[in-house]
């Protein structure tokens, strides 16, 4: 004696409810395989080293107290940017849209 398809569907539905599975009798592609996988975020975040204190953090900490600091690397970077600008190798100006140019003319 053959079992009716309706009875088999009821059995599969109960099975999915018991084992916390998705009931998908039409066999649609729902992406459940991907959603069941473990999240990769914590593993990827653990790969990179923890952020250490930078010179910029120290500057920001001591600025309210009134202590002045000198960052030689930052000073060298700014100097290199100025030299590049003088040679015509600096960053290009931002492209202005018609609306921005109109508003700039009104301000003058």
């Amino acid at each position: 004696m053959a079992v009716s398809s309706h009875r088999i569907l009821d059995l599969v539905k109960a099975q999915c409810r018991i084992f916390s599975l998705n009931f998908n009798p039409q066999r649609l592609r729902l992406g459940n395989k991907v959603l069941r996988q473990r999240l990769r975020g914590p593993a990827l975040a653990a790969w990179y080293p923890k952020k250490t204190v930078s010179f910029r953090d120290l500057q920001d900490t001591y600025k309210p107290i009134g202590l002045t600091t000198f960052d030689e690397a930052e000073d060298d970077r700014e100097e290199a940017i100025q030299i590049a600008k003088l040679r015509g190798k600096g960053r290009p100006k931002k492209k202005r849209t018609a609306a921005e140019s109109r508003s700039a003319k009104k301000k003058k």
Side-chain angles (χ1 to χ4, degrees), residues 86-103:
L86 292 174
R87 291 179 26 225
K89 302 290 184 179
R91 190 184 83 190
K93 290 184 179 179
K94 282 188 173 179
K95 188 174 183 180
R96 297 179 74 166
T97 62
E100 289 176 346
S101 62
R102 272 188 250 129
S103 65

Side-chain angles (χ1 to χ4, degrees), residues 41-102:
L44 290 176
W47 172 265
Y48 296 101
K50 300 285 185 224
K51 183 180 183 274
T52 58
V53 177
S54 66
F55 191 79
R56 182 69 175 211
D57 296 334
L58 290 175
Q59 280 182 324
D60 293 341
T61 303
Y62 291 119
K63 191 175 282 185
I65 300 172
L67 296 174
T68 57
T69 55
F70 178 72
D71 186 2
E72 190 172 345
E74 180 68 18
D75 190 46
D76 290 343
R77 187 184 75 81
E78 289 174 357
E79 185 179 350
I81 290 171
Q82 288 298 326
I83 292 170
K85 280 184 182 178
L86 292 174
R87 291 179 26 225
K89 302 290 184 179
R91 190 184 83 190
K93 290 184 179 179
K94 282 188 173 179
K95 188 174 183 180
R96 297 179 74 166
T97 62
E100 289 176 346
S101 62
R102 272 188 250 129

Side-chain angles (χ1 to χ4, degrees), residues 8-74:
I8 292 174
L9 279 176
D10 288 341
L11 178 66
V12 172
K13 192 184 293 186
Q15 180 183 356
C16 290
R17 194 170 46 246
I18 292 169
F19 294 110
S20 298
L21 299 173
N22 288 329
F23 179 64
N24 187 10
Q26 291 86 18
R27 297 189 179 181
L28 300 172
R29 295 180 64 166
L30 301 176
N32 292 321
K33 176 181 170 183
V34 176
L35 294 173
R36 276 195 312 264
Q37 293 176 356
R38 288 189 313 139
L39 295 175
R40 295 183 182 145
L44 290 176
W47 172 265
Y48 296 101
K50 300 285 185 224
K51 183 180 183 274
T52 58
V53 177
S54 66
F55 191 79
R56 182 69 175 211
D57 296 334
L58 290 175
Q59 280 182 324
D60 293 341
T61 303
Y62 291 119
K63 191 175 282 185
I65 300 172
L67 296 174
T68 57
T69 55
F70 178 72
D71 186 2
E72 190 172 345
E74 180 68 18

